[in-house]
Amino acid sequence: MGKITSVNTLSPDITCSDCSGSAVPASDPDDDSDSDAQHEGYRWRISGMDCPACARKIETAVGQLSAVTEGRVLFATQKLIVKASEDVRVQVEDAVRYAGFSLTRSGTPIKQIEPAGFWWENRTLILFALLLLASWLIQSVSAQAGQVAFTLTTLFGLWPTGRRAFRLIKSGSPFAIETLMTLAASGALLIGATAEAATVLILYMLGERLEAFAAGRARRGVNALMALQPDTAVRLQGERRETVAVSSLNPGDIIEVAPGARLPADAKLLDTFASFDESALTGESMPVERQQGEPVSAGCLSIDRPVRLTVTSKPGESAIDRILHLIEQAEERRAPIARFLDRFSRIYTPAIMALALLVALLPPLLLSADWQPWIYKGLALLLIGCPCALVISTPAAITSALAAATRRGALIKGGAALERLSAIRTIAFDKTGTLTAGKPVVTTLIALNEEDVNLLLAKAAAVETGSSHPLARAIVARAAELKLNVPRASGQKTLIGTGIEAIVSGHTLLIIAPGRLTPNRLTEQQSAQVFKLESAGNTVVVMLEDNQPIGLIALRDTLREDAKATVDELRAMNIHSMMLTGDNARAAAAIAGELNIDYRAGMLPADKVAVIAELSHQPLAMVGDGINDAPAMKAATIGIAMGSGSDVALEAADAALTHNRLNGIAAMIRLSRATHANIRQNITIALGLKGIFLLTTLLGFTGLWLAVLADSGATALVTANALRLLRKN
């Protein structure tokens, strides 16, 4: 069941492809004073769509309104966008409500809506399961009473499904999955297969709830992305500070961001220097230093001190909004995912129903045959046409495969993702946090004055103790790992934009980036050592004692232990691997060289999407862990997230490695290929048996009880075949 939680009008200068919720001010839905220009387009935020088929139902229902010129549902960001020649908000909401989706104009942000509890969300399924269990128990005591119990149980399940099917028929979707299930269960009831009718309904309801769960997870991922942008900002008016809504910020406004807070908008730095954690947007684990006048994106985290900035982005056009827009564009470039049964029912169900009706009517009417035998044959054909085995064949295989994948630490979000995995021929990896561990470690220490390297590290740890900088933590962690005796430091102070300084054992120690040293401060040999370390993909800092260089410390984000084995395994499966990263070319080349794969460096989220589009001539998977990877995941044939990644990456992806091990990728692909073959086998079994019994029934060789066997027997066979996937390694 869907739910529309807010409605906005689109101003005429904003196209319908825009996706930022804050770009368009909320309007009063009951205000009829809107101008004609405002009637050009409207936007709703939808929650609760179970699958892309729901999106198609909403589009069909809205498209039947005469004043609507275009209605589109953006499934990735749960939005409905409608263009119309007049104000159609009331008509659109009525049409969507009648199609089976509840809606409200509250305008409450999704992230503030309390989710319904497990029992409440699944109350119908739980009650139906209890009734089904009671019916089985009654039947074990009395067959006649059991028949009545199963009938009542089926009618209980048919009521919501049949009512929605009826409404969808009137809304322009006559052969939706609800219609298919209503016909299947009703047909089974007509010939007395009441237990089978109830079983089909509970399998259908279970599948719907699983899809609703996956959709809910995806909504939380988009909300997590939106949450990177704070709701309020501190705006400076001379010496006065005021807290304002982010939507009220305009280019030119001066804002202040506290340490540990995120930027509410794209801005330029006013202070001389400042450090920012941009990992949420770029995936780069190392904090970056920005100088006065340099741009900083919304969502970045201020690290070491309060900073003042000038806003450069308009409301709804920040880096966060642009990523949301990229996700929507990537979703639109792919054809909507239609479930197999929903597509097949458009031909199969009406054809079988029409054939059953013709068999029951034509011989008595045209040939004066007896009515009872031909009605009997029509009912037998109706049962043969009951798609129970087909309904079960695909979900049974998918459920078994998903269960097998989950036990092995892989979460695959639905059958469509599982099927697409089987076709993958190229895999693009993000670097930081995916191919690498995502945490810098000390790799090399070089003493420039012949001092013991352990003493050098102990001094560095003394200076860095207490700092929250990732490089500082890496140095302190390495000293602790070696159980070094770290001396006490005093007078610690951070030199903004330069380094960190402290007094240790009476000497002034400074740890600084090589690029911040005055020219010719290092000898040619020392500069060559720095260049060599950086060329190997390291971040290098220099330690000075009393203004004299005494050591070099190299830190690096190390390769995952299973990265090389995973790439080799994929290569053996004829799957090509490449790396897309926002890191500099030298760091990227070092990692790619170890893995013997292609790479592209210095990539922003839009650049990654462009590369995916460039390679879209073949099925491609994108593997990542950061928010910056989400648009590329959506643009790819399938997105795979690392279990340690951001919430947005996990929810935007079609699959996730919950155990956070890369070797799960090859296992997922092998499982998906086996599942694809299993589904083809199940469909062949189901349709093959139906075809045989269809012919024998028309010829008079088989009767109603064998028609039941055609369906229940096929159901048992395809279920047993699907269960084999549980044993796949």
Side-chain angles (χ1 to χ4, degrees):
M1 183 67 68
K3 186 177 182 181
I4 297 182
T5 57
S6 65
V7 56
N8 294 338
T9 57
L10 296 179
S11 58
D13 58 329
I14 298 177
T15 65
C16 282
S17 62
D18 180 69
C19 68
S20 68
S22 57
V24 185
S27 63
D28 180 4
D30 297 320
D31 182 6
D32 294 328
S33 63
D34 295 329
S35 65
D36 290 339
Q38 287 176 311
H39 292 159
E40 290 183 1
Y42 303 95
R43 171 186 299 170
W44 287 262
R45 181 177 294 141
I46 306 172
S47 65
M49 286 192 296
D50 296 341
C51 66
C54 294
R56 188 170 61 252
K57 294 167 188 173
I58 295 173
E59 289 175 344
T60 302
V62 171
Q64 289 194 318
L65 300 176
S66 58
V68 172
T69 57
E70 181 184 1
R72 292 185 299 123
V73 174
L74 303 176
F75 184 71
T77 48
Q78 305 292 302
K79 291 177 183 174
L80 166 65
I81 296 175
V82 173
K83 285 185 177 181
S85 57
E86 60 185 62
D87 189 345
V88 292
R89 285 173 289 185
V90 173
Q91 296 94 312
V92 166
E93 290 163 2
D94 287 342
V96 173
R97 183 183 294 111
Y98 192 76
F101 294 83
S102 62
L103 52 89
T104 178
R105 296 181 179 183
S106 66
T108 304
I110 288 180
K111 61 183 178 182
Q112 295 179 6
I113 296 176
E114 290 295 330
F118 173 82
W119 297 108
W120 180 256
E121 281 191 339
N122 299 280
R123 61 190 184 281
T124 303
L125 176 61
I126 294 171
L127 181 56
F128 189 81
L130 292 175
L131 290 174
L132 185 62
L133 177 60
S135 299
W136 281 109
L137 293 176
I138 293 172
Q139 188 184 52
S140 65
V141 176
S142 170
Q144 186 175 0
Q147 190 84 347
V148 174
F150 275 119
T151 300
L152 295 176
T153 299
T154 302
L155 291 175
F156 172 81
L158 266 178
W159 169 247
T161 305
R163 184 178 58 176
R164 194 172 184 192
F166 175 74
R167 289 181 172 182
L168 287 170
I169 290 172
K170 294 191 67 176
S171 298
S173 301
F175 299 114
I177 188 67
E178 288 83 359
T179 306
L180 178 66
M181 294 310 306
T182 300
L183 291 173
S186 299
L189 279 180
L190 285 175
I191 51 81
T194 55
E196 185 176 88
T199 303
V200 168
L201 281 175
I202 196 170
L203 287 173
Y204 162 70
M205 294 167 67
L206 179 61
E208 289 291 298
R209 290 309 307 151
L210 289 174
E211 288 191 349
F213 172 75
R217 297 272 297 181
R219 286 195 301 274
R220 289 199 296 272
V222 174
N223 293 339
L225 174 57
M226 296 171 64
L228 285 177
Q229 194 169 21
D231 296 325
T232 60
V234 176
R235 183 166 59 191
L236 303 181
Q237 299 278 4
E239 297 298 323
R240 184 166 60 91
R241 289 174 169 79
E242 58 178 348
T243 301
V244 299
V246 170
S247 59
S248 67
L249 293 178
N250 292 299
D253 287 348
I254 297 176
I255 59 174
E256 183 178 79
V257 179
R262 294 192 182 275
L263 270 66
D266 295 348
K268 285 186 178 180
L269 185 64
L270 289 177
D271 296 334
T272 307
F273 298 103
S275 296
F276 295 92
D277 179 357
E278 298 184 349
S279 59
L281 295 176
T282 66
E284 175 54 53
S285 59
M286 305 290 187
V288 296
E289 183 183 280
R290 297 299 179 194
Q291 301 181 33
Q292 189 176 50
E294 290 188 339
V296 188
S297 298
C300 293
L301 192 71
S302 175
I303 292 182
D304 47 15
R305 67 189 181 99
V307 293
R308 294 180 306 120
L309 308 102
T310 301
V311 175
T312 59
S313 62
K314 296 179 182 179
E317 297 181 7
S318 69
I320 300 297
D321 298 311
R322 291 194 296 272
I323 291 179
L324 283 168
H325 184 46
L326 287 170
I327 291 175
E328 287 187 346
Q329 285 183 323
E331 183 78 17
E332 288 181 298
R333 278 198 296 268
R334 294 195 335 216
I337 302 168
R339 291 178 294 183
F340 167 76
L341 291 175
D342 197 15
R343 293 196 307 265
F344 190 78
S345 67
R346 297 178 184 180
I347 301 173
Y348 179 81
T349 302
I352 290 294
M353 293 299 295
L355 180 60
L357 184 63
L358 291 175
V359 167
L361 296 179
L362 288 184
L365 291 176
L366 298 180
L367 304 176
S368 299
D370 291 337
W371 282 95
Q372 186 173 358
W374 287 102
I375 291 177
Y376 182 87
K377 289 182 179 181
L379 289 176
L381 286 179
L382 185 63
L383 183 59
I384 292 173
C386 179
C388 300
L390 281 173
V391 167
I392 294 173
S393 62
T394 301
I398 289 171
T399 302
S400 298
L402 296 182
T406 302
R407 287 207 305 265
R408 291 159 179 79
L411 173 64
I412 304 174
K413 299 179 181 179
L418 191 67
E419 185 175 357
R420 292 198 302 275
L421 265 171
S422 65
I424 294 303
R425 293 296 176 267
T426 302
I427 296 184
F429 292 92
D430 173 50
K431 182 182 80 69
T432 305
T434 302
L435 291 174
T436 64
K439 296 180 180 179
V441 295
V442 176
T443 57
T444 306
L445 290 100
I446 298 177
L448 302 179
N449 61 353
E450 299 183 357
E451 189 172 23
D452 182 75
V453 291
N454 285 339
L455 179 59
L456 187 74
L457 179 61
K459 289 180 178 180
V463 175
E464 299 284 16
T465 297
S467 174
S468 61
H469 197 286
L471 297 183
R473 291 199 297 264
I475 291 172
V476 173
R478 180 58 177 165
E481 181 183 343
L482 296 176
K483 299 180 180 179
L484 300 180
N485 183 22
V486 177
R488 284 183 173 272
S490 61
Q492 289 173 306
K493 61 179 179 179
T494 299
L495 307 179
I496 302 301
T498 302
I500 185 169
E501 186 179 80
I503 297 175
V504 179
S505 302
H507 297 279
T508 300
L509 294 179
L510 171 65
I511 296 178
I512 186 172
R516 295 297 177 187
L517 291 171
T518 57
N520 301 320
R521 194 70 191 80
L522 297 176
T523 66
E524 289 187 8
Q525 182 181 1
Q526 292 167 350
S527 297
Q529 288 175 307
V530 170
F531 181 81
K532 182 178 179 181
L533 290 171
E534 289 182 339
S535 297
N538 294 288
T539 297
V540 180
V541 294
V542 182
M543 187 161 68
L544 294 89
E545 185 176 71
D546 297 330
N547 209 30
Q548 295 297 318
I550 63 170
L552 303 177
I553 303 176
L555 303 99
R556 184 178 176 186
D557 193 4
T558 57
L559 199 65
R560 285 181 181 270
E561 293 181 358
D562 59 346
K564 192 172 190 319
T566 296
V567 170
D568 291 342
E569 189 174 7
L570 292 172
R571 188 178 293 117
M573 298 170 64
N574 294 320
I575 296 176
H576 176 70
S577 299
M578 66 182 304
M579 182 175 70
L580 307 179
T581 177
D583 283 358
N584 63 75
R586 286 186 293 184
I591 295 295
E594 290 187 45
L595 297 173
N596 191 26
I597 60 175
D598 299 331
Y599 72 93
R600 300 198 187 183
M603 313 222 79
L604 296 174
D607 300 324
K608 292 184 179 182
V609 172
V611 172
I612 297 296
E614 176 188 330
L615 301 173
S616 61
H617 59 278
Q618 58 183 346
L620 181 144
M622 174 69 196
V623 185
D625 74 320
I627 292 173
N628 62 303
D629 301 317
M633 288 179 181
K634 283 293 183 181
T637 307
I638 188 168
I640 303 173
M642 301 300 295
S644 61
S646 69
D647 289 342
V648 175
L650 287 169
E651 308 307 341
D654 303 288
L657 300 172
T658 56
H659 54 25
N660 207 37
R661 294 194 297 271
L662 282 173
N663 55 17
I665 296 175
M668 277 197 301
I669 294 176
R670 283 195 296 267
L671 180 62
S672 68
R673 292 176 178 177
T675 305
H676 192 58
N678 192 280
I679 290 174
R680 290 198 303 268
Q681 295 164 5
N682 286 348
I683 293 174
T684 301
I685 292 171
L687 291 179
L689 284 176
K690 288 181 183 297
I692 292 172
F693 282 98
L694 174 65
L695 180 61
T696 57
T697 298
L698 288 175
L699 293 176
F701 297 147
T702 55
L704 199 60
W705 70 274
L706 282 177
V708 176
L709 181 61
D711 190 70
S712 58
T715 300
L717 286 175
V718 299
T719 302
N721 189 46
L723 291 177
R724 293 190 302 113
L725 292 170
L726 291 172
R727 300 191 295 272
K728 285 288 181 182
N729 293 325

